[in-house]
Amino acid sequence: MTSPTVRVSAAGFLLAAAVACTSNAEPDPPATSPPVSTAQPSPSPSAGNGAIAAYEGMWDAVVDASRDASSDHPELDKYATGDAAALMRQGMESVESSHVGKPSHDLTVKSAKPNANPSRVELRDCQDGSEWRPKGDPPSDQKDIRVDATVVKDALSWKVSALRIWGPGTC
């Protein structure tokens, strides 16, 4: 499972560097309150993990369906709903032959709302689908495909509700 990307602000480091570089010739400035951070608290890791698990589960169901060129998979509704489920079903209907391999994912949590107890997470995937291909075909050029996903939590589980899949070379 891929972990959500964590970004750390360098503001504290820059403030410390600026203080360390001040000249000793001038008197120290009067003590002030420490700077107040306006950054939003990070979303809970469980929100990102739940959203990622739903996203990866959705793709696993689609890959399983592609193995026997079926147009549906019973697990899809467990991980996707609405437009995302419709898009995945539409893609499965166009599969004409059994597939091998599977896409790989490089996921980032872009946002989670509300911060305290997220029920909506935006993911960005840089997918490599070059090894997921019809049986007997060589690897394809389906690399670096940007996928933007919205994953929502209802009372029971996380589900992918919206997807935007860009073309190769878009991430």
Side-chain angles (χ1 to χ4, degrees):
M1 176 176 278
T2 307
S3 298
T5 302
V6 177
R7 290 182 171 59
V8 178
S9 171
F13 174 78
L14 293 176
L15 178 62
V19 171
C21 293
T22 58
S23 167
N24 287 335
E26 296 179 23
D28 291 333
T32 60
S33 300
V36 176
S37 172
T38 59
Q40 296 286 335
S42 297
S44 71
S46 63
N49 292 341
I52 289 170
Y55 179 83
E56 290 177 338
M58 177 196 69
W59 280 107
D60 288 345
V62 170
V63 168
D64 286 349
S66 77
R67 300 241 187 271
D68 61 1
S70 70
S71 62
D72 202 1
H73 191 281
E75 292 285 305
L76 182 61
D77 289 332
K78 182 176 176 181
Y79 301 107
T81 189
D83 290 344
L87 181 63
M88 293 293 99
R89 281 195 178 87
Q90 181 182 11
M92 289 187 290
E93 288 170 3
S94 68
V95 173
E96 296 176 1
S97 62
S98 297
H99 279 56
V100 296
K102 66 180 192 172
S104 62
H105 307 281
D106 182 9
L107 288 163
T108 303
V109 174
K110 299 304 286 180
S111 68
K113 295 179 182 175
N115 255 346
N117 187 18
S119 58
R120 179 185 179 102
V121 173
E122 301 293 331
L123 297 176
R124 166 103 16 104
D125 187 5
C126 187
Q127 188 179 90
D128 180 345
S130 61
E131 294 298 324
W132 185 35
R133 61 193 190 279
K135 194 173 190 174
D137 283 5
S140 71
D141 64 351
Q142 298 295 306
K143 294 182 181 181
D144 300 327
I145 300 168
R146 177 178 159 185
V147 181
D148 295 320
T150 301
V151 189
V152 294
K153 184 178 181 187
D154 62 18
L156 301 174
S157 63
W158 287 96
K159 291 186 180 188
V160 180
S161 64
L163 283 173
R164 181 150 188 199
I165 302 173
W166 304 79
T170 53
C171 58

